[in-house]
Amino acid sequence: VNFPLNNQQIPKMLRAATSTAVKRAVLRSSSRGAPSSCAIPGNMSFHASAKREEEATADATLPAESKGGLFGTGLSEWFALPVGIVAAVPLLKLDYYVINEETQLLAVFVAFCVTLYTQGGDAIFNALDQKAVDLLKEHNDAEDKVIETLEQKLVFLKANQNMVNDFNAINEIRAETYVKLNAAGAIKPQHDFKAQVERILNMIAAEEASVTEKTKMGLMTEATASVTQKFSSDKALKKAALDSAIATIKGGKGKAGADPVQAAFVQFFKEKAAVVKASKDDSEEVAQRESMIAKMNSVAKNEGFIFEFDANGKPSML
């Protein structure tokens, strides 16, 4: 069979066949069962992301669906076999296409591409699709963390809506506290002065009680020594004390009608009182007063009193 084909018609036929085959390959790869995350949707959107203007452009530039079949005509693909044989015979016969080493390399390359597409296409597609799924998952996780952070910030901001009112309340409480402190500050020195005076009075009372006790002990020691010496040197007093003790044990009264020992102590204290009354020596009293004034001034200085005492014991404000 001879076909009147010229040199201009053959390249046009090859170009048309190649373009149709490429379109069919693209349409077939898009219908491979790809997940929704990798297919080209009509309305693309991402989680918490703004839509892009390129999506509308992509929708407008999508190729029209082919009818399928041979060259998009709807005929069975098996018709390509006789068409190819019919086209190859005149091409080879008329030497329009020369089979040489380049043709063999092209055949090997095409066979490699076909084998890779048919045998390993699914594996490559799944690897690329899994990578896309992983990238989308990482993107969603990052956005979830950002959303969580923004929600926490929103909660914090809502909690701080009354911050101004809280600070105003704090300022009012502070002002009231200062007023109360000022009022207490006007009375506090009086309370401090009262406490300091009470401290000095208690100290004076304790010192007087101590001096009184020491004086009593001294007088009793001196009286005991004096009465003991008197009874030791006077036999009559010794005999009278013995008779009085025996009579007291028996339940009767002594011949003198009174205890001679008690009478001796009473007589000693009377004589001692008369001596002290007649004496004009107040050196001991002056020494005690000076010691007391020194102790009071020491306490006033150590405890930060607002007064002190002069040499005569008169207080003066600092």
Side-chain angles (χ1 to χ4, degrees), residues 222-234 237:
E222 186 178 356
T224 302
S226 177
V227 171
T228 301
Q229 183 181 3
K230 184 184 291 186
F231 275 82
S232 298
S233 59
D234 192 344
L237 290 175

Side-chain angles (χ1 to χ4, degrees), residues 206-314:
E207 188 67 19
E208 288 180 349
S210 177
V211 171
T212 301
E213 188 67 25
K214 290 180 180 179
T215 303
K216 288 181 180 179
M217 293 299 295
L219 289 175
M220 288 301 299
T221 301
E222 186 178 356
T224 302
S226 177
V227 171
T228 301
Q229 183 181 3
K230 184 184 291 186
F231 275 82
S232 298
S233 59
D234 192 344
K235 294 182 179 182
L237 290 175
K238 188 184 294 186
K239 183 176 182 305
L242 180 61
D243 293 340
S244 176
I246 294 172
T248 301
I249 293 172
K250 291 181 178 181
K253 295 182 179 180
K255 295 181 179 179
D259 186 359
V261 178
Q262 182 178 0
F265 274 102
V266 172
Q267 183 63 31
F268 172 79
F269 286 117
K270 287 181 178 180
E271 293 176 356
K272 190 67 175 178
V275 170
V276 172
K277 187 177 181 179
S279 176
K280 295 182 179 182
D281 185 11
D282 58 350
S283 59
E284 184 178 357
E285 183 179 353
V286 171
Q288 291 178 356
R289 184 172 64 250
E290 290 178 353
S291 176
M292 186 64 191
I293 292 172
K295 292 181 180 179
M296 290 188 299
N297 284 330
S298 177
V299 172
K301 182 177 180 180
N302 293 333
E303 298 184 8
F305 288 0
I306 60 176
F307 58 87
E308 63 180 1
F309 299 92
D310 56 10
N312 297 325
K314 183 179 179 180

Side-chain angles (χ1 to χ4, degrees), residues 107-139:
V108 172
F109 179 74
V110 171
F112 170 76
C113 293
V114 172
T115 305
L116 179 64
Y117 176 78
T118 55
Q119 303 299 324
D122 292 337
I124 296 173
F125 171 79
N126 292 332
L128 295 176
D129 182 69
Q130 184 63 35
K131 185 176 181 181
V133 171
D134 294 339
L135 289 175
L136 182 60
K137 182 176 181 302
E138 293 178 359
H139 177 72

Side-chain angles (χ1 to χ4, degrees), residues 171-232:
N171 290 332
E172 292 177 359
I173 295 173
R174 184 185 293 110
E176 294 177 359
T177 304
Y178 285 152
V179 172
K180 294 179 181 179
L181 288 175
N182 291 332
I187 303 175
K188 187 176 184 301
Q190 301 177 8
H191 288 281
D192 293 341
F193 180 72
K194 177 177 177 293
Q196 293 171 6
V197 172
E198 290 179 352
R199 176 80 167 84
I200 293 298
L201 293 177
N202 292 332
M203 182 179 176
I204 293 173
E207 188 67 19
E208 288 180 349
S210 177
V211 171
T212 301
E213 188 67 25
K214 290 180 180 179
T215 303
K216 288 181 180 179
M217 293 299 295
L219 289 175
M220 288 301 299
T221 301
E222 186 178 356
T224 302
S226 177
V227 171
T228 301
Q229 183 181 3
K230 184 184 291 186
F231 275 82
S232 298

